[in-house]
Structure formats: structure tokens, C-alpha cells
Amino acid sequence: MVSRRSISLIYILPVVLLAAGTTAFLVTDLDLRIQRAFFYESTGAWFRDREQPWRFFYKHGALPALVLFLLAFCVLLLGLAHQRLAPLRRQASFLVLLFLGAPLLLSKLALPPLWGRPAPADVAEFGGTQAFEPILAFHAASSGTAFPAYHAALGFYFLGLALLLFAGRHRFFGFLVLLLALGFGTVNGIATLATGANFASDILWAAGLTWLCAAGLFHALGLSRGLLYQPTADSFTVPKWAPTAALVLLALISLAWPNSADYQSPLIETRP
């Protein structure tokens, strides 16, 4: 069980930190100052083209989140047919829905085209043609996709795993995964700063939105009352062969997917 004090901290502290960070970006030119550190003004090039480890994280930083999502998806499918894995349905559902809701829906599909914040590479300060827009400045006519930072959100996705560990009273590992998730999301975000795709404030909001989405799902799925799902006689199940068939089909689709050094799946692509 999660105490009322913990529930308050899950929501109140992140909102306070998000508001404080946003205020710092709004009242200063911090976004532009940070961004200049990743831009060669003499040549108009971004660090990603020359510097490691940013090239590595830019190309491969999405893979750990995809692996965790696929593992959770497999556990969820198998848990629908096998009683041994049935208690893990709730946790697996949480990780699957969090991936679909925070990085994919909010940070990739919904908010970037809706908000339209121009990326650093598109603003006049870095050789582009559009005007710089402060964080949370909404202009319907803008055509950017910088807000929030999708690549960073894929790193912050592991905050959900930290919540599960805290709820299971594994505090040490919970704090460890929390710090690693914050670090991984930040490094993924810096990799997009180095390519002119996002501002630092976009990374801040990717972290905030991912955490708040995780907290909301955590309580909506009843994980604050207990991690393990208790199946009953009338619980939904599928034939035991169905999950295996679905996983084989998924593997065949993966093998048939185009693969080359220059190809990126639309699911994990970032700004070229």
C-alpha cells in the first residue's frame, strides 16, 4: 500500500519542481544560452555531427524503452492465458499504457504538432527562419514539433518502473531506478539539444508529463492499493495458444521490417 503522504509527494513535489523550472526558463534566456553550447556558430553545425556520446544516444537512446515496453507487452499477453503470470497483469498493463500514453501519444503524436514550438534549428538565433518561442507560448500558426522532447520522454519512461519498485517497498532499487531514469532521460534529451531538435525546457516538460502520466495511471489501475492482480473465476482469459501465436506474429513482423543503416522506424525516429 502507498501512504497518503506518499501520494501527496507523487503529485505535489513534481508539480512544484516543474513550475519552478518553467519559471526559470520564462524569466531568463536560459533556453538560448544552453542551446548555444551545442552550436558551432562559425560553421552553423550542431554537435551531434561531430561529438560523442551524443551521436550514440541520438541513434540508440530509444531502444531500452522499446525493450521494456515489449517485455511488458509479452507478460501481459501471456498473463491472459497462464495463471502463473496472471498476478503480473496489472504491472504489465501499467508499463504498456504508460509507454503508449506518455512518450508515444503525448510527446510524439499529440502535443508537438498541436503546440507547434519551433526547434532550435528552425529559429533565427541558430540560422533558421522562425522566431524563438518561450516555453508554454502557444501559437496556432507555428509549425514546429519541439515541445515536449519525445526522445527524452523515452528515457523518462523508466520513471514508471521506479514507481512500481517504490510500491513494492523496494526503496533502494526504487531510488536507484529513479536516478537512472532521470539521468537517462536527460542524456537522451541532451542528444537532441546537440542536433538542434529540442530546447532544455522541452526536456523538463517531457520529464514532468511522463511522471504525472505515470502517477495518474498508477492510481487509475489500483496499483496504490496493491501490485498483484488477483484473478477470479470469471476473470477474462484467452486460449493458451493465443499469446504464443501473437508473439510469433510479432517476431515475424519484426524480421520482415526494413532494416538498413539509414532507416529509422517512425516509432523511434527523431529530428534528422
Side-chain angles (χ1 to χ4, degrees):
M1 296 289 290
V2 179
S3 67
R4 291 185 177 181
R5 179 187 177 189
S6 297
I7 291 174
S8 299
L9 289 175
I10 286 174
Y11 291 101
I12 296 175
L13 181 59
V15 170
V16 169
L17 293 175
L18 182 60
T22 302
T23 302
F25 282 108
L26 287 174
V27 300
T28 68
D29 63 345
L30 189 58
D31 255 336
L32 292 173
R33 279 192 286 160
I34 293 175
Q35 202 62 45
R36 289 190 183 100
F38 297 94
F39 183 66
Y40 293 106
E41 292 190 23
S42 59
T43 61
W46 296 93
F47 270 29
R48 188 206 46 126
D49 298 325
R50 304 182 184 181
E51 305 291 341
Q52 292 287 12
W54 312 125
R55 284 182 60 85
F56 175 84
F57 282 101
Y58 179 81
K59 293 180 64 176
H60 306 295
L63 294 180
L66 288 173
V67 170
L68 180 58
F69 164 72
L70 290 174
L71 286 174
F73 184 71
C74 292
V75 171
L76 178 59
L77 278 180
L78 294 172
L80 293 173
H82 300 278
Q83 289 297 314
R84 184 175 299 178
L85 291 176
L88 300 177
R89 286 187 203 173
R90 189 178 293 169
Q91 299 170 60
S93 298
F94 168 75
L95 291 174
V96 169
L97 292 174
L98 178 59
F99 182 90
L100 297 176
L104 189 56
L105 180 60
L106 287 179
S107 298
K108 175 67 173 178
L109 300 177
L111 287 179
L114 175 66
W115 214 265
R117 189 187 193 192
D122 295 326
V123 302
E125 286 82 351
F126 302 104
T129 59
Q130 300 187 53
F132 168 74
E133 295 180 7
I135 188 67
L136 300 185
F138 178 77
H139 297 283
S142 298
S143 59
T145 57
F147 174 84
Y150 165 65
H151 209 67
L154 287 168
F156 294 130
Y157 169 59
F158 287 88
L159 292 172
L161 184 59
L163 265 181
L164 292 179
L165 289 169
F166 281 127
R169 298 190 182 278
H170 302 291
R171 293 187 177 182
F172 173 79
F173 291 106
F175 277 112
L176 179 62
V177 173
L178 177 69
L179 293 175
L180 289 175
L182 290 173
F184 185 38
T186 300
V187 169
N188 267 1
I190 292 174
T192 62
L193 296 186
T195 197
N198 294 110
F199 288 102
S201 55
D202 299 320
I203 299 172
L204 172 68
W205 270 85
L209 290 172
T210 303
W211 176 267
L212 293 175
C213 185
L217 278 173
F218 184 80
H219 291 99
L221 293 176
L223 288 163
S224 59
R225 299 188 298 273
L227 289 178
L228 299 181
Y229 171 74
Q230 302 297 333
T232 60
D234 58 349
S235 296
F236 175 76
T237 58
V238 298
K240 289 188 176 182
W241 57 264
T244 303
L247 293 176
V248 170
L249 179 61
L250 182 63
L252 291 174
I253 293 173
S254 299
L255 290 174
W257 198 258
N259 183 26
S260 72
D262 298 324
Y263 181 82
Q264 284 184 305
S265 164
L267 182 65
I268 62 171
E269 69 180 358
T270 54
R271 184 181 179 85

